[in-house]
């Protein structure tokens, strides 16, 4: 069940990490790196290590600190490792879909009698979403593969394990060329680490160095800081990086396209202390707030944020507008997954489980409430009501992203279009629904200006419907059916469905 303070938010992608460090405790380093990437996924966590020509993997449902303990980490011995934290976008939320996913003759499921012919063992951790999963899955089933999960990551792993290419490098490259969609992957195979991004670079991935001869790969640079590694560079779109005892090798496994990094990495997903495309995300988010203030001036007494993801933009808004920033909402960071069945009283508490107003700072004040995005609008309306109930005389909502009107097919679990409030209502109608005195979103031009980069460096399809990778019509229909099915299966009210709580 979900405890839904952030039901109005897009749900994060996943976080991946890999490390080659023969002289270090790679499982422990992976543990700390995954801990720093926890904001990217909180459903499951896993680490696979390579030792003595065999891959050993441990994974389970839950946060990194709950999945791993000293006993487990001591058993994961090797000279290289890959790790993963997951939020499900393709595949249901259960233990079998946790990553890394193993394929090949040494895994338990392949001890079964089946027609598949495996040539190598591989462990894959994946962030993103393939748009041709169904086709690839059918082709593998025809070759005798018995799938154990509903995840597209298993499709990638099976392709690599079954590839008739003579080397692991060729097998990985050939498999990635068959995959269409957004992906950043790290994999262990034949004593090497492989790391790659899709040809548009929609999902992030970067390379770091940890002392002489030791290398790491991560979704974000914040994973390097915690283990003492130095950021070297971002892995390029269409690039395959191979790391082994001889060092780092780079090849283009496919022709790179224009850079199209997901713009929501800049707005919300990534940690503010990470850097992407040469930009510190905290600075970009402050810029978003400053531009938002210039575009939507308002007379008010205080600026507050919806913590924590809205805070940098709120600070930027306050500095640019001259309206003082204060703490208006205090976040309870210890509310996560709950298995207590909700009663009506709990449903009504909803937002209060996550946020509590600081009445002294808002009573009798005209309040500007800055948030990074509004997806469905249900939680935002509850926060506005909460502020009014605690004495705010006016509530002006400001959003540091444009209206989200279109679903994502590249690894972000957004609602179907019918559930996206900006796809159904005008800004004025959304303002009325929220119960706000005014509502303004940043413009698309303002958003790109805040990044100091050209709009063509990003995928912004959730705002523009301009998908860099064509989306099969069938996938549109499947997403609509899947979302409608979820609504029927999960009758817990949205105010208590847990989303990914931000760290």
């Amino acid at each position: 069940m979900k405890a839904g303070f952030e039901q109005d938010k897009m749900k994060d992608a996943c976080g991946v990490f890999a490390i080659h460090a023969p002289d270090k405790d790679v499982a422990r380093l992976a543990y700390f790196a995954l801990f720093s990437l926890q904001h990217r996924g909180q459903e499951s966590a896993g680490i696979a290590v390579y030792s003595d020509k065999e891959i050993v993997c441990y994974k389970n449902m839950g946060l990194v600190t709950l999945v791993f303990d000293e006993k487990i980490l001591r058993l994961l011995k090797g000279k290289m490792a890959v790790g993963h934290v997951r939020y499900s976008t393709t595949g249901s939320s259960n233990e079998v879909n946790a990553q890394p996913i193993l394929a090949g003759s040494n895994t338990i499921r392949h001890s079964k009698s089946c027609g598949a012919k495996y040539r190598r063992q591989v462990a894959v951790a994946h962030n993103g979403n393939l748009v041709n999963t169904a086709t690839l899955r059918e082709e593998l089933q025809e070759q005798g593969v018995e799938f154990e999960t509903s995840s597209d990551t298993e499709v990638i792993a099976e392709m690599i394990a079954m590839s008739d290419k003579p080397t692991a490098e060729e097998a990985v490259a050939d498999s990635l060329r068959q995959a269409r969609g957004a992906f950043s992957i790290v994999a262990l195979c034949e004593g090497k680490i492989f790391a790659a991004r899709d040809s548009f670079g929609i999902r992030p991935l970067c390379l770091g160095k940890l002392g002489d001869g030791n290398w790491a790969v991560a979704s974000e640079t914040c994973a390097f800081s915690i283990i003492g590694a130095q950021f070297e560079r971002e892995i390029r779109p269409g690039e395959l990086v191979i790391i082994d005892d001889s060092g780092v090798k780079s090849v283009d496994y496919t022709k790179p396209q224009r850079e199209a990094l997901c713009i929501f990495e800049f707005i919300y997903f990534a940690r503010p202390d990470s850097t992407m495309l040469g930009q510190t995300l905290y600075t970009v988010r402050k810029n978003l707030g400053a531009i938002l203030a210039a575009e939507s001036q308002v007379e008010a007494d205080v600026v507050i944020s919806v913590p924590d993801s809205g805070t940098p933009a709120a600070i930027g808004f306050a500095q640019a507008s001259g309206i003082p920033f204060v703490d208006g909402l205090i976040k309870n960071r210890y509310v996560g997954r709950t298995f207590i069945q909700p009663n009506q009283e709990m449903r009504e508490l909803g937002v209060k489980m996550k946020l509590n107003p600081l009445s002294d700072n808002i009573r009798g004040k005209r309040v500007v409430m800055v948030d990074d995005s509004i997806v469905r609008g249900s939680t935002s309306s509850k926060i506005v009501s909460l502020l009014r109930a605690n004495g705010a005389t006016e509530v002006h909502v400001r959003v540091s992203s444009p209206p989200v009107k279109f679903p994502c097919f590249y690894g972000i679990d957004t609602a179907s279009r019918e559930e996206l409030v900006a796809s159904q209502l005008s800004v004025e109608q959304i303002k009325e629904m929220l119960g706000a005195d005014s509502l303004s979103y940043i413009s698309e031009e303002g958003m790109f200006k805040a990044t100091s980069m050209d709009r063509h460096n990003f995928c912004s399809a959730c705002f523009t419907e301009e998908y860099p990778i064509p989306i099969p019509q069938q996938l549109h229909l499947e997403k609509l059916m899947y979302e409608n099915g979820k609504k029927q299966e999960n009758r817990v009210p949205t105010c208590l469905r847990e989303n990914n709580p931000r760290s």
Side-chain angles (χ1 to χ4, degrees):
M1 160 207 346
K2 306 213 171 193
F5 155 62
E6 291 184 353
Q7 185 67 20
D8 280 352
K9 301 295 183 186
M10 286 189 176
K11 300 170 185 177
D12 289 7
C14 301
V16 301
F17 178 77
I19 185 166
H20 175 277
D23 58 339
K24 299 186 181 297
D25 186 341
V26 293
R28 192 172 300 273
L29 290 173
Y31 168 87
F32 285 115
L34 292 179
F35 179 80
S36 72
L37 296 172
Q38 187 75 86
H39 59 285
R40 298 190 69 87
Q42 290 128 7
E43 289 189 356
S44 64
I47 296 172
V49 298
Y50 177 83
S51 178
D52 298 326
K53 299 182 180 181
E54 185 177 23
I55 299 172
V56 177
C57 181
Y58 183 83
K59 55 188 177 179
N60 212 331
M61 302 299 290
L63 302 176
V64 174
T65 52
L66 298 177
V67 171
F68 296 99
D69 56 25
E70 281 290 331
K71 181 180 179 181
I72 293 169
L73 290 175
R74 287 172 184 162
L75 293 173
L76 294 173
K77 296 299 182 183
K79 63 181 182 179
M80 61 187 74
V82 297
H84 190 269
V85 288
R86 182 173 191 260
Y87 183 83
S88 62
T89 57
T90 296
S92 57
S93 174
N94 54 51
E95 185 175 349
V96 72
N97 281 321
Q99 298 184 36
I101 286 182
L102 273 63
S105 59
N106 290 337
T107 61
I108 294 175
R109 69 169 177 270
H110 296 128
S111 64
K112 301 176 183 177
S113 175
C114 67
K117 296 180 180 180
Y118 295 98
R119 293 172 171 82
R120 57 187 60 84
Q121 187 189 28
V122 62
V124 175
H126 166 224
N127 171 24
N129 195 41
L130 303 186
V131 299
N132 64 334
T133 300
T135 300
L136 295 174
R137 191 180 182 94
E138 289 175 5
E139 292 174 356
L140 289 165
Q141 287 173 328
E142 290 174 358
Q143 298 176 56
V145 173
E146 298 176 358
F147 284 95
E148 295 285 324
T149 80
S150 56
S151 169
D152 54 355
T153 309
E154 187 180 16
V155 171
I156 298 172
E158 293 286 351
M159 285 197 298
I160 296 171
M162 291 191 63
S163 174
D164 59 4
K165 300 298 180 182
T167 67
E169 178 180 326
E170 292 172 288
V172 172
D174 182 64
S175 298
L176 295 180
R177 280 192 290 269
Q178 297 177 57
R180 286 199 298 111
F183 56 83
S184 287
I185 74 159
V186 293
L188 287 179
C189 189
E190 296 182 1
K192 301 176 188 290
I193 288 174
F194 297 90
R197 295 173 77 191
D198 66 81
S199 60
F200 285 89
I202 293 175
R203 305 259 65 86
L205 199 63
C206 52
L207 179 68
K209 191 172 185 180
L210 183 63
D212 293 336
N214 296 330
W215 296 88
V217 177
S219 293
E220 295 181 35
T221 59
C222 64
F224 297 149
S225 302
I226 197 170
I227 63 171
Q230 297 297 316
F231 168 67
E232 288 286 307
R233 64 176 179 86
E234 295 182 19
I235 293 174
R236 301 186 309 272
E239 181 185 13
L240 174 62
V241 171
I242 304 102
I243 305 172
D244 59 16
D245 293 340
S246 64
V248 175
K249 175 184 175 183
S250 169
V251 298
D252 288 336
Y253 73 89
T254 190
K255 181 180 179 180
Q257 305 296 319
R258 70 171 177 88
E259 181 100 37
L261 178 68
C262 172
I263 189 63
F264 253 96
E265 295 286 353
F266 273 54
I267 295 168
Y268 170 71
F269 293 141
R271 256 177 44 171
D273 54 330
S274 288
T275 61
M276 291 183 181
L277 300 182
Q279 306 288 311
T280 302
L281 300 189
Y282 179 85
T283 300
V284 171
R285 290 169 191 176
K286 279 186 63 179
N287 292 344
L288 288 167
I291 293 170
L292 179 60
E295 291 183 344
S296 57
Q297 297 180 18
V298 62
E299 292 187 5
D301 301 307
V302 295
V303 176
I304 70 170
S305 71
V306 178
D308 289 319
S309 58
T311 300
I315 292 172
F317 189 104
Q319 291 177 349
S321 65
I323 305 170
F325 172 81
V326 300
D327 289 322
L329 296 165
I330 303 301
K331 183 177 180 179
N332 181 357
R333 293 173 176 82
Y334 301 96
V335 176
R337 190 171 297 272
T338 174
F339 295 94
I340 300 173
Q341 291 298 318
N343 55 28
Q344 185 59 35
E345 182 179 6
M346 286 180 64
R347 294 187 185 109
E348 291 174 355
L349 288 175
V351 171
K352 293 182 181 179
M353 294 177 66
K354 279 280 189 165
L355 294 175
N356 197 51
L358 195 54
S359 299
D360 288 350
N361 284 349
I362 60 177
R363 187 182 298 114
K365 304 288 178 58
R366 297 169 297 174
V367 176
V368 178
M369 183 186 89
V370 180
D371 203 356
D372 56 82
S373 60
I374 296 176
V375 178
R376 293 171 178 84
S378 56
T379 297
S380 299
S381 65
K382 290 180 174 63
I383 297 174
V384 171
S385 296
L386 195 62
L387 294 173
R388 291 197 186 281
N390 281 268
T393 58
E394 296 177 9
V395 180
H396 302 274
V397 178
R398 295 294 182 268
V399 187
S400 62
S401 65
V404 177
K405 296 182 178 181
F406 307 100
C408 178
F409 297 89
Y410 301 143
I412 307 302
D413 190 13
T414 55
S416 61
R417 187 168 176 177
E418 67 176 8
E419 289 186 301
L420 298 172
V421 66
S423 181
Q424 305 299 316
L425 303 177
S426 68
V427 173
E428 180 63 24
Q429 289 172 321
I430 297 172
K431 184 204 80 171
E432 295 298 323
M433 186 195 79
L434 298 183
D437 291 279
S438 69
L439 167 66
S440 291
Y441 295 82
I442 196 171
S443 66
E444 289 180 28
E445 294 75 14
M447 174 181 66
F448 293 117
K449 182 179 178 181
T451 70
S452 301
M453 304 193 74
D454 188 89
R455 65 186 299 139
H456 295 295
N457 289 109
F458 299 99
C459 173
S460 56
C462 53
F463 308 127
T464 64
E465 203 178 17
E466 296 173 3
Y467 297 99
I469 302 170
I471 308 300
Q473 181 62 30
Q474 182 60 30
L475 200 58
H476 281 279
L477 297 174
E478 288 173 0
K479 187 175 185 69
L480 182 61
M481 292 172 63
Y482 173 68
E483 291 295 338
N484 287 339
K486 283 204 302 185
K487 287 192 294 183
Q488 294 299 318
E489 293 171 9
N490 189 353
R491 297 182 181 275
V492 178
T494 56
C495 67
L496 280 173
R497 291 185 202 151
E498 178 188 71
N499 198 341
N500 273 349
R502 300 292 287 187
S503 59

